[in-house]
Amino acid sequence: MPIVTFLPHRIILPKGGQFFACPGETILDVGLRNHIQLEHACEKSCACSTCHCIVRKGFSSLSGWSEQEDDILDKAWGLESHSRLSCQAIIGLVDIEVEIPLYNINHW
Ligand code: FES
């Protein structure tokens, strides 16, 4: 099973963490299953951008993204080329490393 490494986030995960991902699981679901307080204001319906994350390793192993995800990502704070909505990015067979941005659209 692939491992998801969440890099330290000074508020919600100061020491970071590593967790196994189940087949077909999204980045958000791995975090929530492991009690990380990741925001997901639209309940994973690809409508809010609060679940924005930046994939530092393993980006190309994730599922592809839709036009809707692309549109919603444009509203995210701190957008980068390897940004994804964690509710939409399904983990493949490769270990990944994820950064949770310091802010999201709810915390400006
Ligand atoms: Fe709203 Fe992911 S939870 S876009």
XYZ file of all heavy atoms in Angstrom:
850
model
N 0.842 -1.190 0.000
C 0.000 0.000 0.000
C 0.883 1.248 0.000
O 1.890 1.295 0.700
C -0.887 0.022 1.245
C -2.032 -0.973 1.180
S -3.337 -0.643 2.372
C -2.545 -1.139 3.878
N 0.525 2.236 -0.802
C 1.312 3.470 -0.825
C 1.209 4.233 0.496
O 0.218 4.129 1.220
C 0.683 4.271 -1.970
C -0.660 3.686 -2.177
C -0.599 2.267 -1.731
N 2.237 4.993 0.758
C 2.282 5.813 1.971
C 2.089 7.279 1.582
O 2.699 7.757 0.618
C 3.631 5.640 2.690
C 3.774 4.206 3.192
C 3.774 6.638 3.843
C 5.140 3.883 3.765
N 1.241 7.953 2.334
C 1.050 9.392 2.155
C 1.782 10.102 3.289
O 1.501 9.865 4.463
C -0.444 9.778 2.194
C -0.600 11.288 2.020
C -1.220 9.027 1.123
N 2.730 10.931 2.919
C 3.432 11.753 3.905
C 2.835 13.147 3.884
O 2.853 13.814 2.840
C 4.937 11.831 3.582
O 5.482 10.515 3.616
C 5.673 12.722 4.578
N 2.281 13.562 5.005
C 1.807 14.931 5.150
C 2.934 15.724 5.801
O 3.386 15.379 6.909
C 0.548 14.999 6.021
C -0.693 14.475 5.339
C -1.076 13.151 5.486
C -1.469 15.312 4.553
C -2.217 12.664 4.858
C -2.612 14.843 3.914
C -2.990 13.503 4.072
N 3.394 16.741 5.115
C 4.448 17.591 5.677
C 3.883 18.398 6.845
O 2.670 18.608 6.936
C 4.980 18.519 4.584
C 5.657 17.790 3.411
C 5.979 18.770 2.286
C 6.909 17.065 3.874
N 4.721 18.831 7.758
C 4.229 19.586 8.919
C 3.459 20.843 8.512
O 3.847 21.547 7.568
C 5.515 19.950 9.670
C 6.493 18.914 9.257
C 6.156 18.600 7.822
N 2.387 21.072 9.213
C 1.570 22.287 9.075
C 1.468 22.861 10.473
O 1.047 22.153 11.401
C 0.197 21.925 8.519
C -0.729 23.091 8.342
N -1.355 23.718 9.398
C -1.132 23.740 7.217
C -2.110 24.703 8.918
N -1.980 24.734 7.606
N 1.830 24.102 10.653
C 2.025 24.612 12.007
C 0.757 24.627 12.860
O 0.849 24.677 14.081
C 2.687 25.971 11.989
C 1.820 27.099 11.589
C 2.600 28.406 11.720
N 1.747 29.521 11.437
C 2.158 30.662 10.942
N 3.435 30.830 10.673
N 1.310 31.623 10.703
N -0.422 24.569 12.247
C -1.661 24.596 13.027
C -2.301 23.218 13.155
O -2.590 22.750 14.255
C -2.666 25.597 12.410
C -2.068 27.004 12.441
C -4.009 25.548 13.162
C -2.811 28.019 11.612
N -2.517 22.565 12.046
C -3.290 21.314 12.133
C -2.447 20.039 12.226
O -2.984 18.995 12.583
C -4.302 21.185 10.971
C -3.603 21.119 9.625
C -5.309 22.320 10.993
C -4.556 20.829 8.476
N -1.146 20.136 11.916
C -0.325 18.926 11.987
C 1.149 19.325 12.185
O 1.969 19.194 11.276
C -0.491 18.118 10.690
C -0.003 16.684 10.682
C -0.788 15.819 11.661
C -0.088 16.103 9.272
N 1.483 19.824 13.365
C 2.817 20.405 13.581
C 3.991 19.454 13.313
O 5.058 19.905 12.916
C 2.786 20.817 15.062
C 1.340 20.961 15.381
C 0.620 19.971 14.528
N 3.799 18.179 13.518
C 4.914 17.242 13.305
C 4.804 16.486 11.988
O 5.640 15.637 11.688
C 4.974 16.243 14.468
C 5.350 16.904 15.779
C 5.453 15.896 16.875
C 5.874 16.597 18.175
N 5.827 15.712 19.321
N 3.768 16.743 11.214
C 3.558 15.983 9.995
C 3.146 14.562 10.329
O 2.889 14.239 11.498
N 3.075 13.727 9.316
C 2.696 12.341 9.584
C 2.754 11.500 8.327
O 2.740 12.018 7.203
N 2.848 10.184 8.536
C 2.856 9.237 7.428
C 1.762 8.205 7.662
O 1.662 7.641 8.765
C 4.203 8.525 7.322
C 5.328 9.432 6.848
C 6.571 8.640 6.516
O 6.999 7.803 7.303
N 7.149 8.902 5.359
N 0.998 7.939 6.599
C -0.145 7.037 6.728
C -0.274 6.186 5.477
O 0.007 6.648 4.374
C -1.440 7.845 6.916
C -1.342 8.865 8.012
C -1.082 10.196 7.710
C -1.472 8.502 9.339
C -0.971 11.150 8.713
C -1.358 9.442 10.360
C -1.118 10.763 10.034
N -0.764 4.969 5.643
C -1.037 4.111 4.493
C -2.308 4.576 3.805
O -3.248 5.036 4.454
C -1.205 2.654 4.931
C 0.091 2.005 5.303
C 0.379 1.715 6.625
C 1.021 1.675 4.329
C 1.579 1.120 6.980
C 2.234 1.086 4.665
C 2.514 0.810 5.999
N -2.337 4.425 2.494
C -3.536 4.719 1.714
C -4.140 3.409 1.232
O -3.427 2.493 0.822
C -3.189 5.594 0.512
N -5.437 3.310 1.300
C -6.144 2.144 0.764
C -6.353 2.356 -0.737
O -6.417 3.495 -1.200
C -7.488 1.983 1.447
S -7.351 1.722 3.224
N -6.495 1.278 -1.485
C -6.710 1.418 -2.937
C -7.927 2.289 -3.233
O -8.993 2.106 -2.649
C -6.949 -0.028 -3.389
C -6.297 -0.870 -2.345
C -6.432 -0.121 -1.061
N -7.767 3.232 -4.136
C -8.874 4.084 -4.555
C -9.196 5.225 -3.620
O -10.162 5.963 -3.852
N -8.415 5.404 -2.591
C -8.679 6.465 -1.624
C -8.139 7.809 -2.119
O -7.106 7.862 -2.776
C -7.981 6.113 -0.300
C -8.792 6.429 0.911
C -8.154 5.931 2.198
O -6.996 5.464 2.221
O -8.844 6.032 3.197
N -8.830 8.873 -1.750
C -8.318 10.213 -2.076
C -7.363 10.670 -0.962
O -7.378 10.126 0.150
C -9.458 11.242 -2.188
O -10.084 11.369 -0.909
C -10.464 10.847 -3.251
N -6.608 11.709 -1.277
C -5.708 12.293 -0.264
C -6.529 12.773 0.931
O -6.158 12.549 2.090
C -4.914 13.461 -0.884
C -3.992 12.946 -1.986
C -4.114 14.189 0.195
C -3.335 14.052 -2.817
N -7.649 13.420 0.653
C -8.492 13.921 1.749
C -8.960 12.781 2.639
O -8.906 12.886 3.879
C -9.699 14.674 1.180
C -10.696 15.197 2.214
C -10.059 16.234 3.135
C -11.925 15.786 1.531
N -9.405 11.701 2.046
C -9.915 10.590 2.853
C -8.823 9.966 3.724
O -9.090 9.555 4.852
C -10.569 9.535 1.962
C -11.927 10.005 1.446
O -12.547 10.858 2.105
O -12.354 9.514 0.383
N -7.607 9.906 3.209
C -6.510 9.392 4.043
C -6.311 10.301 5.257
O -6.184 9.839 6.393
C -5.194 9.288 3.237
C -4.028 8.930 4.145
C -5.337 8.263 2.129
N -6.329 11.609 5.008
C -6.157 12.548 6.116
C -7.276 12.453 7.138
O -7.027 12.351 8.341
N -8.497 12.451 6.665
C -9.639 12.412 7.593
C -9.673 11.098 8.368
O -9.970 11.081 9.568
C -10.953 12.605 6.831
C -11.140 13.964 6.146
C -12.459 13.985 5.369
C -11.109 15.098 7.160
N -9.374 10.018 7.693
C -9.359 8.709 8.368
C -8.326 8.679 9.498
O -8.468 7.949 10.482
C -9.066 7.605 7.336
C -9.055 6.205 7.897
C -9.088 5.158 6.804
N -8.084 5.307 5.759
C -6.812 4.992 5.884
N -6.333 4.522 7.017
N -5.972 5.148 4.857
N -7.308 9.510 9.356
C -6.254 9.557 10.374
C -6.359 10.795 11.271
O -5.386 11.221 11.877
C -4.884 9.471 9.693
C -4.647 8.089 9.140
O -4.383 7.152 9.889
N -4.789 7.927 7.827
N -7.559 11.347 11.309
C -7.919 12.411 12.252
C -7.179 13.722 12.021
O -6.955 14.489 12.964
C -7.719 11.935 13.707
C -8.320 10.585 13.954
N -9.684 10.376 13.965
C -7.750 9.375 14.131
C -9.920 9.087 14.168
N -8.772 8.450 14.263
N -6.776 13.969 10.791
C -6.222 15.275 10.448
C -7.397 16.179 10.086
O -8.246 15.798 9.273
C -5.240 15.184 9.262
C -4.116 14.191 9.579
C -4.661 16.563 8.954
C -3.217 13.906 8.387
N -7.432 17.344 10.659
C -8.576 18.249 10.479
C -8.460 19.023 9.170
O -8.349 20.253 9.163
C -8.656 19.218 11.661
C -8.801 18.553 13.013
C -10.135 17.806 13.125
O -11.176 18.337 12.796
N -10.077 16.571 13.597
N -8.505 18.304 8.069
C -8.446 18.952 6.755
C -9.811 19.545 6.429
O -10.830 18.888 6.610
C -8.063 17.926 5.681
C -6.691 17.281 5.834
C -6.537 16.132 4.834
C -5.592 18.308 5.632
N -9.798 20.754 5.946
C -11.081 21.378 5.608
C -11.666 20.742 4.355
O -10.942 20.348 3.429
C -10.869 22.877 5.396
C -10.589 23.568 6.707
C -11.325 24.888 6.816
O -12.444 25.011 6.285
O -10.748 25.787 7.422
N -12.980 20.683 4.314
C -13.677 20.139 3.141
C -15.110 20.690 3.162
O -16.086 19.954 3.296
C -13.643 18.616 3.121
C -14.096 17.940 4.382
N -13.385 17.975 5.563
C -15.208 17.238 4.643
C -14.032 17.306 6.481
N -15.158 16.848 5.960
N -15.193 21.994 3.008
C -16.452 22.724 3.213
C -17.600 22.252 2.332
O -18.744 22.317 2.734
C -16.221 24.217 3.013
N -17.304 21.786 1.129
C -18.395 21.350 0.235
C -18.645 19.855 0.333
O -19.378 19.297 -0.485
C -18.099 21.752 -1.196
S -16.813 20.766 -1.991
N -18.028 19.229 1.328
C -18.215 17.771 1.531
C -17.792 16.969 0.304
O -18.488 16.047 -0.127
C -19.650 17.454 1.935
C -20.039 18.006 3.300
C -19.262 17.367 4.453
O -18.748 16.246 4.294
O -19.163 18.018 5.512
N -16.655 17.353 -0.274
C -16.006 16.589 -1.338
C -16.720 16.669 -2.694
O -16.559 15.778 -3.520
C -15.857 15.112 -0.946
C -15.269 14.879 0.438
C -15.318 13.402 0.794
C -14.955 13.159 2.230
N -15.090 11.758 2.609
N -17.506 17.708 -2.904
C -18.246 17.780 -4.167
C -17.558 18.660 -5.214
O -18.183 19.065 -6.194
C -19.672 18.270 -3.910
O -19.641 19.576 -3.378
N -16.290 18.984 -5.005
C -15.495 19.733 -5.981
C -16.090 21.120 -6.230
O -16.283 21.532 -7.358
C -15.373 18.947 -7.290
S -14.083 19.555 -8.385
N -16.387 21.822 -5.135
C -17.039 23.115 -5.287
C -16.474 24.219 -4.400
O -16.962 25.340 -4.460
C -18.531 22.961 -4.999
N -15.441 23.938 -3.567
C -15.080 24.973 -2.586
C -13.589 25.365 -2.541
O -13.267 26.437 -2.080
C -15.501 24.523 -1.192
S -14.501 23.194 -0.492
N -12.707 24.512 -2.891
C -11.246 24.699 -2.857
C -10.637 24.665 -1.453
O -9.424 24.833 -1.309
C -10.791 25.961 -3.601
O -10.819 27.098 -2.771
N -11.423 24.471 -0.400
C -10.844 24.460 0.946
C -9.951 23.231 1.190
O -9.176 23.225 2.142
C -11.930 24.510 2.041
O -12.789 23.377 1.899
C -12.748 25.783 1.954
N -10.071 22.226 0.360
C -9.259 21.014 0.532
C -7.982 21.061 -0.308
O -7.318 20.041 -0.472
C -10.076 19.779 0.186
S -10.466 19.674 -1.582
N -7.650 22.237 -0.820
C -6.456 22.389 -1.654
C -5.205 21.846 -0.967
O -4.988 22.082 0.220
C -6.272 23.887 -1.962
C -4.982 24.230 -2.615
N -4.236 25.332 -2.254
C -4.277 23.619 -3.594
C -3.156 25.400 -2.993
N -3.147 24.365 -3.822
N -4.401 21.114 -1.728
C -3.100 20.669 -1.225
C -2.091 20.780 -2.361
O -2.466 20.930 -3.525
C -3.171 19.237 -0.702
S -3.424 17.989 -1.977
N -0.832 20.703 -2.002
C 0.243 20.727 -2.994
C 0.994 19.410 -2.879
O 1.426 19.037 -1.782
C 1.186 21.918 -2.755
C 0.384 23.222 -2.816
C 2.312 21.930 -3.774
C 1.055 24.403 -2.153
N 1.110 18.713 -3.986
C 1.729 17.386 -3.981
C 3.211 17.546 -4.309
O 3.577 17.858 -5.444
C 1.020 16.452 -4.975
C 1.635 15.061 -4.931
C -0.480 16.390 -4.667
N 4.051 17.379 -3.314
C 5.496 17.604 -3.487
C 6.215 16.410 -4.105
O 7.266 16.580 -4.732
C 6.126 17.944 -2.135
C 5.646 19.260 -1.547
C 6.055 20.419 -2.404
N 5.636 21.699 -1.841
C 5.488 22.798 -2.554
N 5.753 22.796 -3.850
N 5.095 23.904 -1.995
N 5.680 15.210 -3.918
C 6.269 14.006 -4.556
C 5.139 13.095 -4.996
O 4.143 12.938 -4.279
C 7.168 13.246 -3.583
C 8.459 13.943 -3.260
C 9.349 13.097 -2.375
C 10.588 13.892 -1.972
N 11.270 13.329 -0.813
N 5.299 12.503 -6.160
C 4.320 11.534 -6.643
C 3.142 12.149 -7.376
O 2.147 11.459 -7.616
N 3.252 13.390 -7.782
C 2.136 14.088 -8.432
C 1.600 13.308 -9.639
O 0.394 13.150 -9.804
C 2.592 15.485 -8.857
C 1.534 16.307 -9.519
C 0.600 16.999 -8.762
C 1.460 16.405 -10.906
C -0.394 17.765 -9.363
C 0.483 17.167 -11.523
C -0.448 17.849 -10.749
N 2.483 12.814 -10.460
C 2.038 12.170 -11.708
C 1.382 10.809 -11.472
O 0.777 10.250 -12.379
C 3.211 12.032 -12.689
O 4.215 11.230 -12.112
N 1.501 10.274 -10.264
C 0.886 8.968 -9.981
C -0.589 9.099 -9.597
O -1.296 8.097 -9.503
C 1.641 8.275 -8.842
O 1.434 8.966 -7.618
N -1.047 10.325 -9.373
C -2.440 10.534 -8.950
C -3.386 10.426 -10.147
O -2.968 10.548 -11.301
C -2.585 11.927 -8.316
C -1.745 12.171 -7.065
C -1.812 13.637 -6.677
C -2.209 11.290 -5.918
N -4.653 10.244 -9.845
C -5.669 10.234 -10.899
C -5.658 11.579 -11.617
O -5.218 12.595 -11.062
C -7.044 9.977 -10.279
O -7.372 11.021 -9.373
N -6.181 11.601 -12.835
C -6.254 12.837 -13.582
C -7.282 13.779 -12.975
O -8.051 13.394 -12.094
N -7.277 15.024 -13.456
C -8.220 15.995 -12.902
C -9.189 16.467 -13.980
O -8.892 16.425 -15.160
C -7.522 17.159 -12.216
C -6.590 17.948 -13.070
C -6.898 19.039 -13.817
C -5.197 17.705 -13.252
N -5.782 19.493 -14.463
C -4.720 18.681 -14.126
C -4.313 16.742 -12.768
C -3.393 18.722 -14.529
C -2.997 16.780 -13.161
C -2.555 17.772 -14.022
N -10.329 16.890 -13.507
C -11.405 17.322 -14.401
C -11.316 18.826 -14.645
O -10.611 19.548 -13.938
C -12.754 16.993 -13.768
O -12.907 17.764 -12.583
N -12.069 19.273 -15.616
C -12.157 20.708 -15.877
C -12.747 21.429 -14.668
O -12.330 22.536 -14.328
C -13.049 20.922 -17.107
C -12.813 22.231 -17.813
C -13.561 22.281 -19.137
O -13.349 21.386 -19.986
O -14.362 23.214 -19.291
N -13.691 20.793 -13.997
C -14.303 21.406 -12.814
C -13.262 21.588 -11.711
O -13.203 22.629 -11.059
C -15.458 20.539 -12.313
C -16.201 21.179 -11.144
C -17.354 20.322 -10.659
O -17.650 19.275 -11.215
N -18.006 20.767 -9.602
N -12.419 20.575 -11.499
C -11.372 20.723 -10.483
C -10.441 21.871 -10.854
O -10.062 22.679 -10.002
C -10.573 19.421 -10.319
C -9.472 19.572 -9.264
C -8.659 18.306 -9.020
O -9.002 17.240 -9.583
O -7.686 18.384 -8.252
N -10.104 21.957 -12.122
C -9.235 23.030 -12.599
C -9.849 24.407 -12.300
O -9.164 25.316 -11.816
C -9.047 22.865 -14.108
C -7.629 23.096 -14.539
O -6.727 23.015 -13.691
O -7.441 23.367 -15.735
N -11.130 24.529 -12.557
C -11.826 25.809 -12.306
C -11.834 26.148 -10.824
O -11.599 27.300 -10.433
C -13.275 25.740 -12.815
C -13.349 25.707 -14.323
O -12.334 26.009 -14.979
O -14.422 25.359 -14.850
N -12.098 25.171 -9.987
C -12.170 25.419 -8.540
C -10.776 25.721 -7.990
O -10.595 26.593 -7.139
C -12.811 24.227 -7.806
C -14.254 24.032 -8.274
C -12.750 24.413 -6.296
C -15.177 25.195 -8.001
N -9.775 25.021 -8.500
C -8.403 25.259 -8.029
C -7.971 26.706 -8.260
O -7.189 27.258 -7.481
C -7.430 24.316 -8.738
C -7.108 23.012 -8.024
C -6.238 22.135 -8.919
C -6.451 23.242 -6.682
N -8.471 27.310 -9.310
C -8.110 28.701 -9.605
C -8.458 29.639 -8.454
O -7.915 30.734 -8.355
C -8.813 29.185 -10.881
C -8.111 28.680 -12.126
O -6.946 28.256 -12.019
O -8.732 28.707 -13.198
N -9.370 29.238 -7.587
C -9.783 30.069 -6.452
C -8.952 29.792 -5.198
O -9.136 30.450 -4.174
C -11.264 29.817 -6.135
C -12.177 30.124 -7.302
C -13.601 29.688 -7.008
C -14.467 29.916 -8.245
N -15.704 29.160 -8.220
N -8.077 28.823 -5.248
C -7.334 28.412 -4.057
C -6.211 29.395 -3.728
O -5.551 29.927 -4.632
C -6.757 27.006 -4.264
N -5.978 29.569 -2.448
C -4.855 30.396 -1.993
C -3.557 29.619 -2.209
O -3.466 28.433 -1.920
C -5.028 30.703 -0.500
C -3.928 31.563 0.048
C -3.897 32.921 0.082
C -2.695 31.127 0.630
N -2.727 33.361 0.636
C -1.960 32.279 0.985
C -2.132 29.879 0.874
C -0.710 32.221 1.582
C -0.879 29.809 1.458
C -0.188 30.981 1.805
N -2.520 30.281 -2.719
C -1.211 29.655 -2.854
C -1.131 28.595 -3.937
O -0.360 27.638 -3.818
N -1.873 28.779 -4.993
C -1.896 27.797 -6.080
C -0.503 27.590 -6.681
O 0.235 28.544 -6.912
C -2.864 28.297 -7.156
C -3.168 27.353 -8.309
C -3.928 26.128 -7.827
C -3.965 28.089 -9.389
N -0.153 26.329 -6.918
C 1.124 26.003 -7.566
C 0.874 25.003 -8.693
O -0.223 24.459 -8.805
C 2.096 25.398 -6.547
C 2.499 26.374 -5.460
C 3.665 25.857 -4.620
O 4.360 24.920 -5.067
O 3.864 26.396 -3.528
N 1.889 24.718 -9.458
C 1.708 23.814 -10.597
C 1.348 22.397 -10.163
O 0.745 21.643 -10.920
C 2.960 23.797 -11.474
O 4.066 23.358 -10.719
N 1.719 22.008 -8.952
C 1.394 20.669 -8.458
C 0.283 20.702 -7.408
O 0.239 19.868 -6.513
C 2.636 19.974 -7.916
C 3.546 19.494 -9.009
N 4.718 18.817 -8.775
C 3.457 19.588 -10.357
C 5.298 18.524 -9.927
N 4.549 18.990 -10.891
N -0.593 21.682 -7.526
C -1.750 21.776 -6.634
C -2.829 20.792 -7.075
O -3.001 20.536 -8.267
C -2.343 23.187 -6.679
O -1.518 24.102 -6.017
N -3.556 20.270 -6.114
C -4.742 19.439 -6.372
C -5.783 19.726 -5.306
O -5.449 20.205 -4.215
C -4.391 17.931 -6.295
C -3.543 17.384 -7.402
C -4.176 17.415 -8.781
N -5.473 16.774 -8.894
C -5.663 15.529 -9.338
N -4.632 14.809 -9.703
N -6.892 15.030 -9.436
N -7.009 19.392 -5.631
C -8.035 19.335 -4.592
C -7.905 17.952 -3.968
O -8.027 16.936 -4.659
C -9.429 19.526 -5.194
C -9.706 20.878 -5.829
C -11.117 20.908 -6.409
C -9.518 22.018 -4.835
N -7.660 17.911 -2.685
C -7.387 16.608 -2.067
C -8.607 15.692 -2.087
O -8.461 14.476 -1.984
C -6.874 16.788 -0.634
O -7.853 17.379 0.191
N -9.798 16.254 -2.273
C -10.999 15.411 -2.342
C -11.162 14.749 -3.699
O -11.992 13.852 -3.861
C -12.250 16.206 -2.000
S -12.777 17.366 -3.292
N -10.402 15.195 -4.678
C -10.541 14.671 -6.037
C -9.353 13.815 -6.467
O -9.452 13.063 -7.432
C -10.699 15.833 -7.032
C -11.879 16.737 -6.728
C -13.204 15.998 -6.820
O -13.497 15.359 -7.819
N -14.010 16.075 -5.762
N -8.229 13.931 -5.790
C -6.996 13.257 -6.199
C -6.931 11.857 -5.598
O -6.724 11.680 -4.395
C -5.789 14.076 -5.758
N -7.125 10.872 -6.456
C -7.083 9.478 -6.003
C -5.641 8.978 -6.079
O -4.948 9.158 -7.089
C -8.007 8.605 -6.862
C -9.454 9.087 -6.690
C -7.878 7.130 -6.483
C -10.446 8.422 -7.633
N -5.226 8.349 -5.009
C -3.838 7.903 -4.885
C -3.625 6.631 -5.708
O -4.471 5.731 -5.707
C -3.520 7.669 -3.400
C -3.663 8.991 -2.645
C -2.125 7.083 -3.218
C -3.862 8.829 -1.166
N -2.495 6.579 -6.399
C -2.160 5.404 -7.197
C -1.365 4.403 -6.377
O -1.652 4.169 -5.206
N -0.322 3.866 -6.998
C 0.466 2.826 -6.344
C 1.764 3.355 -5.757
O 2.555 2.595 -5.204
C 0.780 1.715 -7.358
C -0.457 1.045 -7.977
C -0.031 0.090 -9.082
C -1.258 0.320 -6.904
N 1.978 4.652 -5.889
C 3.256 5.259 -5.513
C 3.095 6.082 -4.232
O 2.053 6.699 -4.005
C 3.730 6.173 -6.680
C 4.957 6.966 -6.315
C 3.974 5.336 -7.927
N 4.121 6.075 -3.392
C 4.115 6.934 -2.206
C 4.071 8.397 -2.643
O 4.689 8.771 -3.651
C 5.383 6.719 -1.371
C 5.486 5.315 -0.806
O 4.482 4.568 -0.873
O 6.562 4.974 -0.297
N 3.364 9.207 -1.889
C 3.292 10.629 -2.219
C 3.612 11.473 -0.991
O 3.546 10.993 0.145
C 1.918 11.042 -2.800
C 0.797 10.835 -1.781
C 1.626 10.278 -4.071
C -0.522 11.453 -2.215
N 3.961 12.718 -1.260
C 4.238 13.678 -0.191
C 3.379 14.910 -0.436
O 3.353 15.438 -1.545
C 5.720 14.052 -0.228
C 6.189 14.847 0.970
C 7.694 15.038 0.903
O 8.439 14.124 1.324
O 8.125 16.102 0.411
N 2.680 15.334 0.614
C 1.664 16.370 0.462
C 1.919 17.515 1.430
O 2.193 17.293 2.608
C 0.263 15.768 0.742
C -0.804 16.841 0.700
C -0.053 14.659 -0.246
N 1.791 18.715 0.911
C 1.847 19.911 1.755
C 0.441 20.494 1.868
O -0.240 20.673 0.856
C 2.795 20.939 1.139
C 2.877 22.226 1.940
C 3.852 23.216 1.310
O 4.736 22.797 0.529
O 3.709 24.414 1.593
N 0.036 20.774 3.063
C -1.243 21.444 3.296
C -0.933 22.931 3.376
O -0.149 23.349 4.243
C -1.879 20.978 4.617
C -2.020 19.453 4.630
C -3.235 21.651 4.833
C -2.194 18.882 6.032
N -1.496 23.730 2.482
C -1.180 25.170 2.518
C -1.529 25.781 3.868
O -2.459 25.332 4.541
C -2.060 25.746 1.402
C -2.361 24.598 0.505
C -2.414 23.402 1.395
N -0.806 26.803 4.229
C -1.034 27.450 5.516
C -2.430 28.066 5.604
O -3.054 28.069 6.656
C 0.029 28.525 5.740
C 0.080 29.149 7.125
C 0.185 28.082 8.212
C 1.236 30.120 7.211
N -2.915 28.558 4.484
C -4.237 29.186 4.458
C -5.100 28.526 3.404
O -4.590 27.903 2.472
C -4.121 30.677 4.109
C -3.232 31.446 5.039
C -1.968 31.841 4.633
C -3.656 31.781 6.318
C -1.140 32.549 5.482
C -2.832 32.486 7.182
C -1.581 32.868 6.749
O -0.759 33.560 7.584
N -6.403 28.702 3.555
C -7.307 28.378 2.460
C -8.322 29.497 2.337
O -8.287 30.472 3.092
C -7.947 26.995 2.635
C -8.900 26.925 3.808
O -9.694 27.833 4.020
N -8.826 25.861 4.575
N -9.219 29.349 1.407
C -10.144 30.437 1.088
C -11.008 30.830 2.295
O -11.498 31.945 2.389
C -10.997 30.033 -0.134
C -11.595 31.255 -0.795
C -12.047 29.011 0.235
C -12.121 30.991 -2.192
N -11.160 29.948 3.280
C -11.932 30.256 4.494
C -11.118 31.039 5.523
O -11.663 31.530 6.490
C -12.424 28.968 5.164
C -13.657 28.432 4.486
O -14.242 29.091 3.647
N -14.055 27.239 4.863
N -9.793 31.110 5.359
C -8.940 31.704 6.379
C -8.179 32.934 5.925
O -7.168 33.281 6.472
C -7.931 30.655 6.870
C -8.560 29.618 7.713
N -8.130 28.321 7.733
C -9.623 29.662 8.540
C -8.880 27.612 8.548
N -9.793 28.392 9.043
N -8.654 33.593 4.906
C -7.978 34.806 4.447
C -8.248 35.920 5.390
O -9.298 36.093 5.906
C -8.449 35.162 3.054
C -7.782 34.329 2.004
C -7.045 33.197 2.194
C -7.822 34.551 0.602
N -6.634 32.712 1.001
C -7.079 33.498 -0.001
C -8.388 35.520 -0.192
C -6.909 33.427 -1.363
C -8.205 35.420 -1.558
C -7.475 34.381 -2.142
Fe -14.670 21.152 -1.476
Fe -12.746 19.406 -2.045
S -13.948 19.511 -0.268
S -13.483 21.035 -3.270
